[in-house]
Amino acid sequence: MNKSFYFAPSLKFIANEKLSFIVNTEILQRKSVNAPMLFLSGSTALLDNNIDVFEKIYKKSFTSNNLSIENPTFNLQAQALYKLSDAWTSQTVFSTGKTTADGYYSYLYGSTDGNAINHYISRLNNETRTIDIQQNFIGDFKIGKLRNRVVVGLDYFNTNLRNNATGWNLLGQVTLDDGLSTAVLSQSAVDNLLAVTSVSNTEAEQETYSAYFSDVLNLTPTLSAMVSLRVDLFKGNEVYVFQGGDDETNDDQTAFSPKFGLVYQPIKDKLSLFTNYMNGFSNTSPQEVSDADGTNPTIKSFDPEKANQFEVGVKANLFKNKLSATVSYYNINVSNILMQDPDNVNNAIQGGEVESKGIELSLIANPVAGWNIITGFSHNNSEVLEETEGAGYLGLRPVESGPEDLFNFWTSYTAQSGSLKGFGVGFGGNYASENKPINNTNVGSYELPSYTILNSSLSYSEEKVTVILKLDNIANKNIFRMGYSSASKT
């Protein structure tokens, strides 16, 4: 079961020649039943090392419409644009959002006997609220003969996460050789099962205060430089309420992110060489963790992940912009990484370091009127350089890195004249190489096979109306996707 309703009204109001307002909203009502994610045991040796053993139960959901979850979402963004002068514009942005998860969520956890896997379930009751206030001053002016395009801004972001979910409990077991389950998939049976678990009563709040500056400077008509700096202060606070009292922790962090870049055009407006360097960070949101058996749920805060990134590439616009191509090489080193706890599927550990390097290629072509081609390819080589001692990931590809190779292609044609004017046809697909949701010297590796998805579409467009009929996965291939030591089916 998957029912949803989506509504996204947008409003623009021009008060006068200097002041305008834009309001965008998103309202989503969704009720669905989750097909359980499969988590593979990361603490003991694996007897099977590929997905073939699960092919026989591919079409089984191991859930029922009685165990649904509701995920209503509301987002609002309001902007005020005011032209201060010919060179400067003020942009004020207010955003707020609310996301809720209320209902049943389950997962499968693979044991090591090669046949039986455990089925766990919990009743979620989570709510996340966000508020963001941003003030930007955008300038475009010259100092002497040098053109400056400047952004100076302040930003405040607040996120509040409330968690009143039950603990996890064993719902039953699934045997792989026959696909049978011992679980009783009724709401009353599950409620009785969860009544004996502890209920989390946790609230976590994070505030981020940011200031940033960026300037793109045209040194010559064919050479430009960019310099920027962003400073973020993270203020974290979490409260875990338990019987007889409560526990409060605070976690404040400051992060600096400078960025530098150069763009040179050997052939103006047709061929560009670019390079950039960034020392950045990624704020890690609080996450719910618990003991290995699903008891004692709480919310855990983490430090920001830190990254050094270098990129170099070339971009070409040829044949009067009918062909646009970009090729780039990157090298990224990320430290303080959040990693899966090998001894507890319900926990995460921090302190890893990963190096990723690779190439990316994208191409957009419009050979003739109405014919469009979009394609892209990426190759990524990633390796764990540091880990928590004995975790078993050192020197291997991180499980969160996904496939090494990705390829996408889409071509479409829409008739521009004649009796078929407005009718269009499209065809394309996606390819992903094999990847390993478990890759650990302590327990072994588990490989998901590569896959290719082919899609097509028929469309008709007339003035402001467009109708599209799309067919995905034409070949009806069984596809497995990966996560942190986990796999799901599509």
Side-chain angles (χ1 to χ4, degrees):
M1 178 182 68
N2 190 341
K3 299 179 180 180
S4 63
F5 171 79
Y6 180 71
F7 183 54
S10 180
L11 173 67
K12 182 176 182 179
F13 173 68
I14 301 176
N16 53 54
E17 61 181 10
K18 290 187 175 182
L19 179 63
S20 62
F21 299 92
I22 302 173
V23 179
N24 297 309
T25 55
E26 292 181 320
I27 301 171
L28 172 65
Q29 295 289 337
R30 182 181 180 186
K31 184 176 182 180
S32 61
V33 175
N34 80 291
M37 180 78 76
L38 169 64
F39 285 87
L40 305 172
S41 176
S43 58
T44 53
L46 299 170
L47 295 184
D48 299 300
N49 60 4
N50 60 66
I51 205 71
D52 293 346
V53 68
F54 299 105
E55 285 285 355
K56 291 184 293 184
I57 61 170
Y58 182 86
K59 294 185 178 181
K60 293 182 177 292
S61 66
F62 301 110
T63 187
S64 76
N65 289 339
N66 300 315
L67 304 175
S68 62
I69 184 169
E70 295 186 18
N71 299 103
T73 300
F74 172 78
N75 292 306
L76 180 145
Q77 183 193 75
Q79 291 189 51
L81 299 169
Y82 184 75
K83 191 171 180 62
L84 300 170
S85 67
D86 291 339
W88 288 94
T89 299
S90 169
Q91 180 192 47
T92 305
V93 184
F94 172 81
S95 304
T96 184
K98 177 183 174 183
T99 303
T100 302
D102 184 10
Y104 301 93
Y105 191 87
S106 63
Y107 69 90
L108 301 173
Y109 185 77
S111 57
T112 61
D113 63 5
N115 187 43
I117 49 179
N118 294 327
H119 190 177
Y120 292 92
I121 196 166
S122 172
R123 182 177 176 90
L124 303 184
N125 184 7
N126 304 332
E127 180 183 275
T128 301
R129 294 178 178 267
T130 59
I131 294 176
D132 185 80
I133 303 173
Q134 189 178 86
Q135 175 60 51
N136 295 318
F137 295 99
I138 304 168
D140 190 341
F141 56 88
K142 287 186 176 181
I143 299 178
K145 295 183 178 181
L146 303 180
R147 182 187 178 190
N148 291 263
R149 281 163 288 176
V150 175
V151 177
V152 181
L154 298 171
D155 184 82
Y156 168 76
F157 180 74
N158 177 285
T159 178
N160 183 278
L161 172 63
R162 175 190 57 80
N163 179 23
N164 297 121
T166 69
W168 296 89
N169 208 343
L170 181 64
L171 180 60
Q173 275 197 331
V174 174
T175 49
L176 300 180
D177 55 1
D178 53 19
L180 296 179
S181 172
T182 62
V184 179
L185 300 175
S186 69
Q187 183 175 340
S188 59
V190 171
D191 286 342
N192 290 333
L193 188 69
L194 296 177
V196 299
T197 68
S198 58
V199 176
S200 174
N201 190 1
T202 310
E203 184 173 351
E205 183 179 32
Q206 277 194 335
E207 295 179 297
T208 306
Y209 299 85
S210 307
Y212 44 89
F213 165 84
S214 175
D215 184 15
V216 177
L217 181 65
N218 288 94
L219 301 171
T220 72
T222 58
L223 178 64
S224 61
M226 184 272 292
V227 60
S228 70
L229 176 66
R230 182 183 179 101
V231 182
D232 287 75
L233 171 63
F234 302 104
K235 298 179 70 67
N237 179 57
E238 61 185 61
V239 179
Y240 177 55
V241 182
F242 55 92
Q243 186 175 4
D246 58 62
D247 185 22
E248 181 174 348
T249 61
N250 293 281
D251 184 23
D252 296 349
Q253 300 286 333
T254 301
F256 295 84
S257 178
K259 184 176 182 179
F260 309 95
L262 286 172
V263 177
Y264 173 63
Q265 300 181 59
I267 305 176
K268 194 174 187 310
D269 298 328
K270 292 185 177 181
L271 184 65
S272 302
L273 307 177
F274 62 88
T275 183
N276 60 74
Y277 167 79
M278 180 178 69
N279 177 277
F281 61 90
S282 176
N283 184 35
T284 305
S285 300
Q287 296 186 17
E288 180 183 331
V289 299
S290 67
D291 294 343
D293 59 0
T295 60
N296 299 318
T298 185
I299 291 180
K300 185 177 180 180
S301 293
F302 301 94
D303 295 336
E305 296 180 349
K306 300 178 181 179
N308 287 287
Q309 175 178 317
F310 169 76
E311 184 180 21
V312 61
V314 57
K315 182 176 182 179
N317 290 293
L318 306 173
F319 309 112
K320 297 181 179 180
N321 294 324
K322 290 185 177 181
L323 176 64
S324 175
T326 303
V327 181
S328 64
Y329 166 83
Y330 63 87
N331 185 293
I332 306 172
N333 184 281
V334 184
S335 60
N336 214 26
I337 282 193
L338 202 63
M339 306 181 74
Q340 176 70 50
D341 186 343
D343 298 321
N344 182 358
V345 70
N346 299 314
N347 189 38
I349 52 180
Q350 195 166 32
E353 181 178 346
V354 170
E355 181 184 57
S356 296
K357 50 189 176 182
I359 59 171
E360 294 181 342
L361 168 66
S362 65
L363 185 146
I364 301 175
N366 307 105
V368 298
W371 185 16
N372 300 303
I373 301 172
I374 301 174
T375 187
F377 170 78
S378 67
H379 173 78
N380 171 267
N381 183 19
S382 189
E383 180 182 354
V384 176
L385 303 181
E386 290 187 13
E387 65 170 3
T388 301
E389 186 176 358
Y393 300 108
L394 193 64
L396 302 179
R397 183 177 180 82
V399 297
E400 67 271 16
S401 295
E404 286 191 8
D405 298 312
L406 296 171
F407 175 76
N408 66 81
F409 173 81
W410 183 260
T411 182
S412 63
Y413 177 75
T414 302
Q416 303 296 296
S417 60
S419 59
L420 294 178
K421 182 180 179 179
F423 283 94
V425 60
F427 178 79
N430 299 278
Y431 166 81
S433 62
E434 63 278 353
N435 63 83
K436 298 178 179 179
I438 284 186
N439 194 21
N440 188 287
T441 55
N442 295 334
V443 301
S445 63
Y446 201 95
E447 184 174 287
L448 300 183
S450 62
Y451 64 84
T452 300
I453 303 176
L454 299 177
N455 311 309
S456 63
S457 70
L458 294 174
S459 63
Y460 177 73
S461 300
E462 183 178 3
E463 294 182 356
K464 297 182 180 181
V465 178
T466 300
V467 179
I468 300 176
L469 176 64
K470 198 166 187 292
L471 178 62
D472 292 331
N473 196 7
I474 297 172
N476 197 28
K477 290 284 189 71
N478 290 348
I479 301 166
F480 295 91
R481 303 184 188 274
M482 63 87 69
Y484 279 96
S485 300
S486 62
S488 64
K489 60 185 181 181
T490 301

